[in-house]
Amino acid sequence: MTHVDERADKTGQSGQGSTPERQLWSAGNGRSRRKTVTYADAGVSIHAGEKAVELLRTKVHRTHRPEVMGDIGGFAGLFRLDLKKYKSPILASSTDGVGTKLAIAQAMGIHDTVGIDLVAMVVDDLVACGAEPLFLLDYIACGEVVPDRVAEIGAGIADGCRYAGCALLGGETAEHPGVMRPDEYDISGTGVGVVEEDAILGRDRVEVGDAVIALRSTGLHSNGYSLVRHVLLGAGRMRLDSVIDEFGSQRTLGEELLTPTRIYAKDCLDLIKEADIHAYAHVTGGGIPGNLVRVLPEHVDAVVDRSTWRPQPIFELVRTKGRIEDMEMESTFNMGIGMMTVVSAEDADRTLAFLAGRGLDAWQVGEVIEGTGTVQMVGSHTRG
């Protein structure tokens, strides 16, 4: 934290009759009567940033794990890794952002959900290799630091960290006047996790005969929003405050588009203890085929049957308004699936029962067969 020491008076004396103290730093000799230019004149308010940090302090404290050392405001976040818990610990790291979903948040003036999206994008990538997320660092860049708005964004990030069981260890808020408009901001995050070397999940474990299980998404999550904005708000001329009957409960388009990304981290980590999980695929940019293929060895294919589920109405709205071909939809959006797990066939039912007990909508979407390392999308979604 910034500390100002005001021991000396205006003449450089430490007190009446005292010997002048050595002045360590000076911006001038004090004789100029011209008004000097300040950092605030250039559009940057250090005090606003400090106020935002103070507004977030309680939220950040709620994310702390026992390993966290110190408090926010230092130069670096400190985390004591308990090496006694692991035989051969491997650190995993991931970094990501939220993309142009932020434009929806800024247009609606709702800033407390995109932080959840940010955490989800980072921690569920870590979980995909079997790693437990330990801590996250965030970065918020904005045209103007408005303390309440930054605190809203940060509160969402803190909430996401609590859902994921990781600590919000620190971060940076940067003010970029002249580069970004006062109401604009961008956010990113970097997470670190840990996994035992012999417990790393991935393509080395995937075998012919494995079951592929899908976990339903909460909607679009945080990918494809440039296309969404183009077809719905641009060419489609739809309004964010328009009530869409298909969404139900008098839900507006803007509310649907800001639905937070589901965080699967805790559920996936606990599932590893209950079933023979071979791999996870976090379905983000690239859709189902583009992400599931990342966990397939070269001698197998994954067959995914579209007829086993129906995507949420938002996907059909985007497809019809934009006249988008099915292949483009599948390569851009998650199509209603946020996470996929590849599990031994013997543990498929156990996996589904466990996920149902956690309140997650999950189903077997396909299987692993002999092949060449590709994803085969078969069947058709139910529409109408």
Side-chain angles (χ1 to χ4, degrees), residues 359-380:
L360 284 167
D361 186 6
W363 65 97
Q364 182 166 343
V365 73
E367 62 179 341
V368 177
I369 64 172
E370 292 184 0
T372 58
T374 62
V375 176
Q376 300 180 26
M377 302 293 293
V378 301
S380 300

Side-chain angles (χ1 to χ4, degrees), residues 3-21:
H3 175 69
V4 179
D5 193 338
E6 297 181 332
R7 289 177 298 176
D9 63 19
K10 293 182 181 179
T11 62
Q13 308 292 321
S14 58
Q16 187 174 2
S18 302
T19 303
E21 293 188 10

Side-chain angles (χ1 to χ4, degrees), residues 261-283:
T261 303
R262 171 81 194 213
I263 295 177
Y264 302 96
K266 284 186 175 180
D267 299 309
C268 288
L269 289 173
D270 289 344
L271 179 58
I272 293 172
K273 304 171 186 175
E274 300 292 329
D276 184 17
I277 303 300
H278 294 169
Y280 284 121
H282 185 200
V283 184

Side-chain angles (χ1 to χ4, degrees), residues 60-127:
V60 172
H61 283 168
R62 290 175 184 165
T63 73
H64 281 185
R65 296 165 49 118
E67 302 97 327
V68 174
M69 301 173 63
D71 197 1
I72 61 174
F75 287 102
L78 301 176
F79 190 95
R80 180 186 288 108
L81 183 62
D82 184 3
L83 295 177
K84 295 179 181 178
K85 290 174 57 178
Y86 309 95
K87 296 177 181 178
S88 181
I90 301 296
L91 292 179
S93 63
S94 176
T95 189
D96 212 334
V98 176
T100 59
K101 186 174 186 176
L102 296 177
I104 308 296
Q106 291 160 21
M108 295 188 66
I110 297 174
H111 313 289
D112 60 349
T113 59
V114 289
I116 298 173
D117 293 303
L118 176 64
V119 176
M121 299 302 286
V122 173
V123 300
D124 285 339
D125 274 359
L126 293 175
V127 167

Side-chain angles (χ1 to χ4, degrees), residues 285-304:
I288 295 166
N291 287 282
L292 186 56
V293 72
R294 297 163 69 179
V295 300
L296 299 180
E298 294 182 355
H299 66 282
V300 306
D301 284 357
V303 180
V304 175

Side-chain angles (χ1 to χ4, degrees), residues 20-72:
E21 293 188 10
R22 181 168 62 94
Q23 191 165 348
L24 299 180
W25 181 87
S26 174
N29 59 19
R31 283 181 276 186
S32 174
R33 294 184 179 181
R34 291 181 297 174
K35 182 181 182 296
T36 60
V37 177
T38 67
Y39 210 1
D41 293 329
V44 178
S45 172
I46 294 175
H47 298 298
E50 292 172 343
K51 182 179 179 182
V53 170
E54 286 304 312
L55 291 173
L56 276 172
R57 187 175 296 275
T58 300
K59 276 277 191 178
V60 172
H61 283 168
R62 290 175 184 165
T63 73
H64 281 185
R65 296 165 49 118
E67 302 97 327
V68 174
M69 301 173 63
D71 197 1
I72 61 174

